[in-house]
């Protein structure tokens, strides 16, 4: 998925989040520069919104990968 698609997709579901949590993260200079560049590419999107979108997308991907992994392991158990 491209970052533009990610931002558009998350914008649609933005209001569905009823509660927010605050986190403090430390980024390398390189990652901070990349984040700044992305923020400049999408005016109207704050750095926090961008980070939230990126982390949310990454967590969704991890969940999908875990589901695939679980299904693969279950399939292996069934064939024994």
């Amino acid at each position: 998925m491209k970052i533009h698609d990610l931002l558009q997709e998350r914008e649609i579901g933005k209001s569905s989040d009823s509660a927010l949590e605050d986190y403090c993260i430390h980024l390398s200079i390189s990652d901070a520069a990349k984040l700044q560049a992305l923020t400049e590419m999408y005016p109207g999107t704050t750095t926090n919104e961008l980070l939230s979108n990126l982390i949310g997308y990454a967590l969704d991907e991890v969940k999908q990968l875990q589901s695939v992994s679980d299904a693969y392991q279950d399939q292996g158990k069934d064939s024994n």
Side-chain angles (χ1 to χ4, degrees):
M1 175 178 281
K2 298 197 184 297
I3 188 69
H4 178 72
D5 298 335
L6 170 65
L7 290 172
Q8 284 186 335
E9 179 181 301
R10 293 291 176 171
E11 186 68 31
I12 293 168
K14 187 190 250 186
S15 62
S16 66
D17 293 336
S18 59
L20 300 175
E21 285 288 326
D22 289 334
Y23 292 92
C24 177
I25 62 170
H26 298 275
L27 297 174
S28 68
I29 298 293
S30 174
D31 287 341
K34 291 173 191 173
L35 183 60
Q36 181 62 37
L38 285 172
T39 303
E40 291 173 5
M41 288 173 56
Y42 295 94
T45 302
T46 68
T47 303
N48 284 340
E49 289 170 333
L50 185 58
L51 278 170
S52 178
N53 292 339
L54 290 169
I55 291 169
Y57 178 71
L59 292 172
D60 289 346
E61 286 292 304
V62 169
K63 183 178 177 182
Q64 286 180 347
L65 289 172
Q66 185 60 48
S67 296
V68 169
S69 175
D70 290 347
Y72 180 75
Q73 288 177 357
D74 289 344
Q75 184 181 28
K77 289 177 186 175
D78 292 342
S79 65
N80 288 331

